[in-house]
Amino acid sequence: MPLINMADLRALLHRHARLLGLDPGAKVIGLALSDVTLMLASPYGSLKRSKLAANAAEIRTIAEKQGVGGLVVGLPLSMDGTRGPAAQAAGDWALALSEAAGLPCAMWDERLSSAAVNRMMISEADLTRKRRAAAVDSAAAAYMLQAALDATAPRAT
């Protein structure tokens, strides 16, 4: 299953299907879930990063339970917008995950999502470093998924 762009992924979804946002880190994969109207993304939790087959099985289970019709994986572009080694690795992982989970997948720019979430958690929620670490992965996934939903939302005419 090839990676597709976000607008095409939205068009593929069945009515009331959700999107699952993933922010893959070296140790943890942050998860976020859209609502059925594809207007709002919420943190969903995180998975310990392990072998692809194990993570795909966990994601497939979540997808079946939550009515997920597609995946949106964070794309770590360089600050100048170019694709470096991290973006290439994320693309390879997203493609393999899409195949293994049996779900269509799009990628979305995640630059500064973790930094923005950390800043918000410090200034508005006044969370300690330890409590931020536990929540930042899923919050960053929600931040990225919300940006993708907002950018591809149908416009009123």
Side-chain angles (χ1 to χ4, degrees), residues 52 80 85 126 137 147 155:
L52 180 73
D80 64 0
D126 196 29
D137 297 307
R155 304 288 177 222

Side-chain angles (χ1 to χ4, degrees), residues 38-107:
L38 303 179
M39 292 180 65
L40 184 65
S42 301
Y44 185 75
S46 59
L47 299 174
K48 183 178 179 195
R49 182 104 180 230
S50 62
K51 294 191 183 243
L52 180 73
N55 285 149
E58 291 173 294
I59 289 167
R60 199 171 30 252
T61 299
I62 292 167
E64 289 168 2
K65 180 180 174 186
Q66 298 296 334
V68 170
L71 307 174
V72 181
V73 175
L75 179 62
L77 295 173
S78 300
M79 289 307 291
D80 64 0
T82 60
R83 289 178 182 245
Q88 181 62 46
D92 294 345
W93 183 82
L95 183 58
L97 179 67
S98 175
E99 294 281 337
L103 290 165
C105 181
M107 297 195 75

Side-chain angles (χ1 to χ4, degrees), residues 114-137:
S114 294
V117 166
N118 267 312
R119 248 189 326 273
M120 185 276 304
M121 287 181 172
I122 291 167
S123 67
E124 294 180 25
D126 196 29
L127 293 178
T128 65
R129 183 182 308 264
K130 185 176 180 180
R131 294 195 65 195
R132 277 196 321 270
V136 74
D137 297 307

Side-chain angles (χ1 to χ4, degrees), residues 1-58:
M1 197 173 293
L3 298 177
I4 57 178
N5 73 45
M6 185 62 192
D8 290 344
L9 178 58
R10 282 184 82 122
L12 274 177
L13 295 176
H14 297 292
R15 187 179 169 142
H16 300 299
R18 298 173 184 236
L19 289 171
L20 182 65
L22 298 107
D23 182 18
K27 296 179 182 179
V28 176
I29 302 167
L31 304 175
L33 194 62
S34 76
D35 67 336
V36 296
T37 65
L38 303 179
M39 292 180 65
L40 184 65
S42 301
Y44 185 75
S46 59
L47 299 174
K48 183 178 179 195
R49 182 104 180 230
S50 62
K51 294 191 183 243
L52 180 73
N55 285 149
E58 291 173 294

